[in-house]
Amino acid sequence: MQLVPKKLLNHPSATKAVLILILLVWALFLWRALDAFAPNGTYSSDSGIPVLMSNDERPITVFNLYYYAADRWGGWPFLVAQFIRRATGHHWSDQSLFRMQAVWIFVGVLALVALASRDRLAVMVAYLTALCLHSETRLQIFILSQLYAWQLTALLLCWYSLRRLFDGALEPPPEKKKTWNWKRTAWSLLAFLFALLAVWSSVASVPFLLFLLCLETLRAHLKREKREGDWKLLRQSIECLILIAAAWLFELLLKWNYHRHSLKHYGSDFSAGFKLDLGYLGENLRANLHNITKLSWWPLYLLSTLAALAVLCVLVYALFKQRRDLLARLRGIFAEETVIIAAGAYGLAVINFVLAVLVNHVRLNYYDDRFLIPTYLFGPISGLLVIFLIFDLAAKSAKNSSHLKAAARPAFVLTLFLLLVFKFPTRTTDPYYQSLSETALALAQKAPRGILMGGYWETYVFTSLQPVDAMTAVPLEGQEVRTPWTPELVRQASEVIVEYRHTYRLGDQGSPPERLNQYGNSLRLVDPQWYRNGEYAFALYANESR
């Protein structure tokens, strides 16, 4: 006996109820994420650069296309923020820019959910669990200094656009062809747009997109009923490949123009030198595997890997033994959207891991685990969906237990939902972030629109937190400068403020240098006790070269 009749489950009102429930759950955890993950103790100059880019009052140039003085990730989100600011006058704080970013992250949740036709709630809670409860993921993906928030949602939206294109690949009856053409054109443009945003965010998106294209081609091949549709499927795959290639080419042109402009105006092209790290592959593999095995969620990565190996072994066996019945069963399994989503999430996790092993940039940055964020996110999503599929299969296989079959899916969804409700992080007040904010406001009040010098980490972090009369950050000569037009402004200033305690690693009793030579300017110490707050100390210097 089935608890809920199939007719009721398939009724349009039931579908609407599920969609409403999905939106309510989505809104609930978005609201909690906006509070829990807001900028706090992790805020730094790296996080401050996007805020400064969003509030830049200079005319927009090619330099705005990428994160300032770095072509590793695209600046399109901050161009959008600039357009909003110029249109409305809104000043972007770190908190408001975070809210924009968090909403974009959660749009990605809806994009992945839209790929599922039957198990949408299960996919949603699996994504939210990996996104919000996996500490290694949330600590990186929600902070302003990382690109993944912008990249991954664009990637998922492109995946959904590809799905719509493949689902509409077969031509409709003549009376519906005009509407069909408009829809195909619209989804093609969206697929190109989201592919461009993903690649613009990070060129690592190219192999991700190619994998998703292959996955959608496989799904369409498995779902087709007649072989005469093969040529249409091939044509659709080629068209999607052209869209992805066009997005990649467009981004290459943007980056080339960015390099040309930067070299002409600032004497450097600010390019990141990515190379294959062939001489260190063993060392890279061990280091990145260590980053995963030290995680508390490592069993989920192992589970999805074992599931992938099991499927591969069964496929090889079926092909070798020519077991058509087994191949037909595998075909039916992989035609289901939930299986495709689990396979897609696992594939994205693996591809990102392989890139981290192959590229020298990761080793040169001491194997920082921020490069594994897509693996940290999609690996657990895949593992949780594998658990769901195993749980569902076991329930279906149970004999004379219709109650178990009906309760399997709701039990999984309810378990993860309750886990999210009770284990969702709460916001903590960080004294360090409070000290940064207080210091930033005090500096702007004492030296409105002045010049702030110091180390890289002691300049941009403060000016990005100043809502009015913001100062101009100019790292000391020899430090990393993200805004290469600002050193020239030192020559025009009669006085500058220099943070010296952190910059020069001085203790409480340390004194700043009596004289500084910076960018061709001679600076003389006027007031070594100009302002202090906690661990930061600032001195006033007069510019004698002016």
Side-chain angles (χ1 to χ4, degrees):
M1 177 180 178
Q2 189 170 347
L3 292 177
V4 183
K6 289 184 178 180
K7 289 184 179 180
L8 184 58
L9 286 174
N10 295 327
H11 195 274
S13 62
T15 303
K16 290 181 181 179
V18 170
L19 293 177
I20 292 173
L21 181 59
I22 285 172
L23 290 175
L24 288 175
V25 172
W26 180 84
L28 168 65
F29 291 111
L30 171 60
W31 169 67
R32 296 194 64 176
L34 288 172
D35 178 67
F37 304 136
N40 214 320
T42 58
Y43 194 78
S44 67
S45 283
D46 280 351
S47 300
I49 297 299
V51 180
L52 294 173
M53 292 177 69
S54 301
N55 291 314
D56 196 346
E57 297 179 354
R58 301 179 313 125
I60 295 175
T61 67
V62 175
F63 194 71
N64 298 78
L65 295 178
Y66 291 86
Y67 187 94
Y68 281 171
D71 68 348
R72 194 174 67 83
W73 60 298
W76 64 265
F78 319 120
L79 284 173
V80 173
Q82 273 210 50
F83 288 134
I84 294 174
R85 183 186 63 79
R86 292 168 190 262
T88 65
H90 172 73
H91 177 87
W92 291 97
S93 66
D94 59 318
Q95 302 290 332
S96 60
L97 188 62
F98 159 77
R99 288 191 286 271
M100 172 179 158
Q101 176 181 282
V103 170
W104 181 251
I105 293 171
F106 270 70
V107 168
V109 178
L110 294 179
L112 191 67
V113 169
L115 291 167
S117 59
R118 184 179 60 168
D119 303 318
R120 290 176 175 172
L121 281 170
V123 172
M124 167 171 272
V125 293
Y127 195 150
L128 290 174
T129 300
L131 178 67
C132 300
L133 299 190
H134 191 196
S135 60
E136 289 81 5
T137 298
R138 71 170 187 264
L139 288 176
Q140 297 280 4
I141 200 169
F142 280 101
I143 62 178
L144 295 175
S145 61
Q146 297 300 322
L147 61 91
Y148 302 107
W150 310 105
Q151 174 196 10
L152 297 182
T153 292
L155 193 71
L156 294 174
L157 288 170
C158 184
W159 187 1
Y160 179 69
S161 301
L162 293 175
R163 170 70 58 84
R164 295 301 300 265
L165 285 171
F166 275 98
D167 284 348
L170 298 179
E171 291 189 17
E175 63 272 14
K176 296 184 178 180
K177 191 167 183 179
K178 185 175 181 180
T179 303
W180 176 78
N181 285 331
W182 275 107
K183 287 183 177 179
R184 278 181 54 79
T185 302
W187 284 115
S188 296
L189 291 173
L190 286 174
F192 169 78
L193 173 63
F194 294 131
L196 173 60
L197 294 183
V199 178
W200 191 352
S201 297
S202 171
V203 73
S205 299
V206 174
F208 295 156
L209 291 169
L210 294 176
F211 164 73
L212 294 176
L213 173 58
C214 292
L215 191 66
E216 285 303 304
T217 302
L218 173 64
R219 172 185 172 273
H221 172 74
L222 295 176
K223 289 180 72 71
R224 86 200 199 295
E225 297 179 358
K226 298 180 180 180
R227 295 194 63 84
E228 55 265 24
D230 282 353
W231 71 271
K232 293 179 181 178
L233 175 60
L234 177 61
R235 183 183 67 181
Q236 183 61 65
S237 299
I238 293 174
E239 289 176 358
C240 290
L241 180 61
I242 291 173
L243 291 174
I244 294 173
W248 187 12
L249 177 61
F250 196 93
E251 192 275 337
L252 286 174
L253 293 175
L254 288 179
K255 189 169 291 185
W256 172 82
N257 202 20
Y258 169 82
H259 291 159
R260 178 201 59 78
H261 176 90
S262 300
L263 189 62
K264 177 181 178 181
H265 292 276
Y266 307 122
S268 173
D269 61 2
F270 300 117
S271 61
F274 294 106
K275 295 180 181 178
L276 290 178
D277 213 17
L278 299 180
Y280 296 87
L281 294 183
E283 179 183 337
N284 294 349
L285 179 61
R286 287 190 296 271
N288 285 290
L289 278 176
H290 174 71
N291 281 339
I292 290 180
T293 55
K294 71 180 182 182
L295 302 177
S296 57
W297 289 39
W298 68 265
L300 289 175
Y301 300 88
L302 178 62
L303 178 62
S304 53
T305 300
L306 292 176
L309 290 174
V311 170
L312 181 61
C313 289
V314 172
L315 178 61
V316 172
Y317 172 80
L319 290 173
F320 183 74
K321 293 293 185 178
Q322 295 185 349
R323 290 282 303 275
R324 295 184 179 231
D325 58 328
L326 199 53
L327 287 172
R329 190 171 181 183
L330 285 174
R331 181 186 184 121
I333 290 173
F334 272 89
E336 294 187 9
E337 275 79 2
T338 309
V339 177
I340 290 292
I341 292 173
Y346 181 71
L348 293 174
V350 170
I351 291 171
N352 184 75
F353 180 83
V354 172
L355 290 175
V357 171
L358 291 178
V359 177
N360 68 336
H361 188 71
V362 178
R363 177 176 58 83
L364 296 177
N365 283 271
Y366 308 104
Y367 302 109
D368 194 303
D369 60 357
R370 72 180 185 272
F371 298 105
L372 289 175
I373 292 304
T375 302
Y376 289 172
L377 176 64
F378 288 113
I381 292 173
S382 178
L384 289 170
L385 290 179
V386 167
I387 293 174
F388 169 75
L389 291 167
I390 293 173
F391 194 59
D392 187 48
L393 181 62
K396 288 179 180 177
S397 302
K399 296 181 179 179
N400 302 321
S401 182
S402 59
H403 293 280
L404 180 60
K405 295 177 184 178
R409 285 186 171 86
F412 177 87
V413 172
L414 183 60
T415 300
L416 287 188
F417 177 78
L418 292 176
L419 192 65
L420 279 163
V421 170
F422 292 108
K423 292 293 185 180
F424 204 95
T426 56
R427 186 174 187 179
T428 58
T429 301
D430 189 276
Y432 173 70
Y433 177 76
Q434 287 186 318
S435 175
L436 287 179
S437 300
E438 292 172 0
T439 303
L441 294 176
L443 291 173
Q445 290 173 358
K446 288 176 66 67
R449 296 186 176 273
I451 300 294
L452 176 63
M453 302 189 73
Y456 171 78
W457 302 107
E458 292 77 35
T459 48
Y460 295 116
V461 66
F462 292 117
T463 58
S464 65
L465 292 172
Q466 297 169 340
V468 294
D469 294 327
M471 303 175 74
T472 298
V474 186
L476 293 172
E477 198 166 0
Q479 296 273 342
E480 189 172 27
V481 178
R482 293 290 185 190
T483 49
W485 60 89
T486 54
E488 182 61 29
L489 300 179
V490 178
R491 190 181 305 278
Q492 304 171 20
S494 59
E495 297 179 335
V496 299
I497 310 302
V498 178
E499 197 291 321
Y500 62 88
R501 182 177 293 171
H502 264 243
T503 301
Y504 292 104
R505 304 180 186 274
L506 298 175
D508 291 340
Q509 304 303 319
S511 299
E514 289 291 332
R515 287 190 173 275
L516 290 172
N517 291 312
Q518 293 293 317
Y519 304 104
N521 299 281
S522 178
L523 307 179
R524 177 176 55 82
L525 179 64
V526 175
D527 184 358
Q529 307 294 327
W530 185 78
Y531 178 71
R532 290 190 177 196
N533 187 16
E535 53 193 279
Y536 294 98
F538 301 85
L540 173 65
Y541 281 80
N543 186 0
E544 295 185 335
S545 300
R546 188 170 182 269

